[in-house]
Amino acid sequence: LAFCVQPLNMYWQPFFKGLFKLTKEQQWVLGCIGSAVMLFLMFGAWMSEKISARITCDKTALAVCHLTIGACIIVIVSVQPYAYVVLLWYWIHEIPRASIIPIKNGYVNANIPSAERATISSYLSAYSHLGAVIGLVVFGIITETMGIKTSWTLSGIVLTVVSIGMIIYARRKPKSV
């Protein structure tokens, strides 16, 4: 996830500035968009408990959140001429993004013995940060050479394909011995 969402983290301001054709005097609108992002993130964190209750397997819940984010990204780039629709889908994609960390932490707490939990949590955090750094570099190069829309499209496709694999993996039955 950290790898794939970097284009959205880093380029939403220039993306929406261009999409809404904002002048220098109108750039305060970006602050309003960012403030609304925070509200959607809070709502997503609140929804994490409901998502976990509805999808009882945390691995599947995580994969569904990732799949939803990927699908939202694909919708965002597909309906790009419709600025307000794009903005709504951008805000919607923040809901599962905010749900992932509480669901992941709940899964780790429920399934990792307490003696190992701190170490595992540290590794998960380190891998997430490493993914973010790699995502910044890779998608930064893609954005600079091919544009924001291309980097967002590739991000959504990669996230969607990986998420489908995660769902298949999470739902498979263990082999009998």
Side-chain angles (χ1 to χ4, degrees):
L1 171 69
F3 174 81
C4 288
V5 297
Q6 292 313 307
L8 283 83
N9 287 348
M10 300 311 296
Y11 296 108
W12 72 266
Q13 298 95 337
F15 178 80
F16 284 115
K17 180 181 174 189
L19 188 64
F20 285 105
K21 297 173 180 44
L22 299 175
T23 65
K24 189 173 185 174
E25 294 77 28
Q26 297 170 321
Q27 290 185 26
W28 60 268
V29 172
L30 297 174
C32 295
I33 292 171
S35 296
V37 164
M38 295 302 126
L39 295 173
F40 277 86
L41 287 170
M42 289 188 308
F43 181 69
W46 178 77
M47 285 294 297
S48 64
E49 184 178 348
K50 280 114 183 82
I51 293 168
S52 284
R54 177 100 171 143
I55 305 172
T56 55
C57 174
D58 283 337
K59 288 190 288 187
T60 302
L62 287 169
V64 167
C65 285
H66 286 88
L67 180 62
T68 304
I69 296 166
C72 284
I73 295 169
I74 291 169
V75 169
I76 288 168
V77 294
S78 300
V79 298
Q80 189 171 351
Y82 307 101
Y84 292 101
V85 176
V86 169
L87 181 58
L88 178 63
W89 280 98
Y90 184 81
W91 284 332
I92 289 170
H93 106 278
E94 297 290 351
I95 296 169
R97 278 187 67 179
S99 300
I100 288 172
I101 291 175
I103 294 170
K104 180 189 70 165
N105 289 345
Y107 176 79
V108 168
N109 289 338
N111 293 288
I112 306 295
S114 61
E116 301 168 11
R117 195 174 303 137
T119 303
I120 299 293
S121 292
S122 294
Y123 279 119
L124 289 172
S125 178
Y127 291 140
S128 178
H129 285 87
L130 178 62
V133 168
I134 294 169
L136 284 170
V137 172
V138 169
F139 286 109
I141 292 168
I142 292 169
T143 300
E144 289 299 315
T145 57
M146 296 182 235
I148 294 173
K149 185 176 179 180
T150 301
S151 72
W152 284 23
T153 302
L154 291 173
S155 166
I157 290 169
V158 169
L159 193 53
T160 300
V161 169
V162 169
S163 300
I164 291 169
M166 288 170 60
I167 290 170
I168 292 168
Y169 179 77
R171 301 202 61 151
R172 71 183 172 97
K173 302 288 183 208
K175 294 181 182 178
S176 307
V177 186

